[in-house]
Amino acid sequence: MASRALVIGVGTYDDDSGIHGYPTIEASARAYGSALARDPRWGATAGSSVLEPHRTRTADGVMRALHEASAAGEGPQDALLVVYVGHGAYWQDVPGGQVHFAVGSSRINEPWTWLSAWYVYRAIRKSKAGLKVLIADCCYSNMLPHLGPESALPGALGTRYQGTCVLTAVGGNVHNAWADACANLPDPLDTCTPFSGHLLNVLGEGMPDHPDDLTLGALRAGIDEGMQECGVHHAPRMLLNDASEAAMLFTNHAKGRRSRARMPDSVDQWVRELHLNGDRILPDLMSYPDLAGRVVVQLKKGDEQSRALARRVDRKAGGLLTNPADFVAYWGEIERAMLGGG
Ligand SMILES: [Zn+2]
């Protein structure tokens, strides 16, 4: 295994930089380091996963560490996890418009002192690891694009490797990620930023209804549920690109886990199941073509990730519903909703 995790937390800036530091940022980075160290999936490499302050001070320090981590991935069995906690900014008047990540020497309103997400993406994409995940806990993380192969500039990127995912603290039109700690979280996560604190709480407590490993889908559902319970947070966002909801990222620490043997039996349960496990359960769903149609209708009404799921289910439906009568039953539900609901 040549999996690598790199945690970049930048919470301290020069006094005259114009950028506010937050102790929650460095607390979050340390907490990611502890969570990775106690996770058998990551333990072997986690010792050095949190980048030291002298390396987070410059874009050069961060990028050298990122290229080292990225180069470690050798094949499908490996994972590359990059976590950024700090300040994000977005400049439209640079080529293509880019999110920029603050480093320790960044100065407000001076984009050249920040690290463009473009370089970070470029380094991550070059990794041959089978799963590449970027977790971004910063303002403007809602503007981060897909990390996968749809992006422009193919020639510059060389060979593409699939399996990428971006998980961000904010989504939709919400630009500002909160940096003040969430008091509802247990110690020491009540000293972290709310998004990272809630994410790390899912890792710490695990999810009792899930199997031994936490998938991307389960992680996102766990964060969503925890943050919704608090009632004061913005919803995070997950862009899957070409990674699967079923891709495994962390060990599930929940005690008394039970595997769900029962098949979902309502539209809402299937929607949840798809969010957790993605396409893997499609053949089961397609044995109920009209129900599958209603599930797609429900997904189309949801958020960005739900709508992307609806498109994926729809693309695969034709291949899975080989009996024309089944396809008519499936499509009939979708057509009725389109005619009725507009
Ligand atoms: Zn909270």
Side-chain angles (χ1 to χ4, degrees):
M1 284 285 282
S3 292
R4 284 288 185 282
L6 181 65
V7 180
I8 306 151
V10 188
T12 309
Y13 302 88
D14 291 343
D15 288 341
D16 60 353
S17 66
I19 305 174
H20 285 287
Y22 288 93
T24 49
I25 292 173
E26 274 145 13
S28 301
R30 285 192 298 275
Y32 278 108
S34 318
L36 290 163
R38 70 184 280 259
D39 186 331
R41 288 185 79 89
W42 293 98
T45 62
S48 56
S49 63
V50 183
L51 205 59
E52 309 91 327
H54 73 274
R55 300 184 80 184
T56 58
R57 176 129 182 102
T58 62
D60 184 62
V62 172
M63 287 308 300
R64 282 180 193 276
L66 182 53
H67 274 281
E68 281 163 32
S70 172
E74 290 165 357
Q77 75 284 2
D78 299 330
L80 170 66
L81 170 64
V82 180
V83 180
Y84 176 81
V85 194
H87 279 287
Y90 182 82
W91 278 281
Q92 275 178 317
D93 53 351
V94 300
Q98 292 295 335
V99 176
H100 286 63
F101 300 117
V103 293
S105 58
S106 294
R107 307 172 64 83
I108 202 160
N109 299 330
E110 295 179 8
W112 63 92
T113 63
W114 297 55
L115 173 58
S116 168
W118 200 94
Y119 295 115
V120 173
Y121 272 46
R122 183 174 186 273
I124 296 175
R125 283 195 190 106
K126 278 178 178 278
S127 173
K128 293 177 188 166
L131 179 63
K132 297 173 279 287
V133 178
L134 171 64
I135 295 175
D137 184 359
C138 60
C139 291
Y140 293 96
S141 53
N142 63 316
M143 304 290 281
L144 282 168
H146 284 237
L147 181 50
E150 304 106 78
S151 77
L153 299 171
L157 297 171
T159 312
R160 261 106 168 241
Y161 301 97
Q162 294 202 324
T164 56
C165 170
V166 184
L167 189 56
T168 64
V170 283
N173 297 319
V174 177
H175 295 318
N176 294 323
W178 289 87
D180 292 324
C182 172
N184 296 332
L185 290 167
D187 171 67
L189 302 180
D190 59 352
T191 62
C192 299
T193 66
F195 170 71
S196 287
H198 276 281
L199 188 159
L200 290 159
N201 195 37
V202 174
L203 299 194
E205 302 202 332
M207 296 180 72
D209 287 338
H210 293 268
D212 288 350
D213 290 294
L214 282 186
T215 60
L216 286 172
L219 178 63
R220 186 205 148 148
I223 302 168
D224 267 350
E225 284 161 15
M227 292 184 88
Q228 268 170 32
E229 247 170 62
C230 272
V232 293
H233 305 305
H234 295 306
R237 177 183 75 147
M238 186 165 85
L239 291 174
L240 266 180
N241 306 321
D242 48 6
S244 162
E245 283 89 349
M248 292 175 294
L249 191 61
F250 297 107
T251 300
N252 189 357
H253 292 303
K255 303 273 185 297
R257 290 188 297 278
R258 49 193 183 275
S259 55
R260 286 154 305 157
R262 233 160 47 87
M263 194 77 98
D265 55 12
S266 69
V267 169
D268 286 342
Q269 279 178 27
W270 274 107
V271 165
R272 182 176 156 79
E273 195 62 28
L274 280 168
H275 275 298
L276 296 175
N277 291 305
D279 306 8
R280 197 161 62 173
I281 56 162
L282 270 191
D284 291 332
L285 174 60
M286 288 300 168
S287 50
Y288 312 97
D290 51 341
L291 177 65
R294 292 198 295 278
V295 168
V296 170
V297 169
Q298 179 75 8
L299 285 170
K300 280 172 188 264
K301 294 179 195 157
D303 64 3
E304 186 179 0
Q305 194 195 351
S306 300
R307 296 193 302 273
L309 252 173
R311 286 193 296 276
R312 266 154 60 207
V313 174
D314 209 27
R315 265 202 306 275
K316 296 193 173 173
L320 289 165
L321 297 170
T322 46
N323 179 343
D326 287 344
F327 190 81
V328 168
Y330 165 81
W331 180 246
E333 295 289 337
I334 296 173
E335 194 174 37
R336 189 183 316 156
M338 287 190 327
L339 293 174

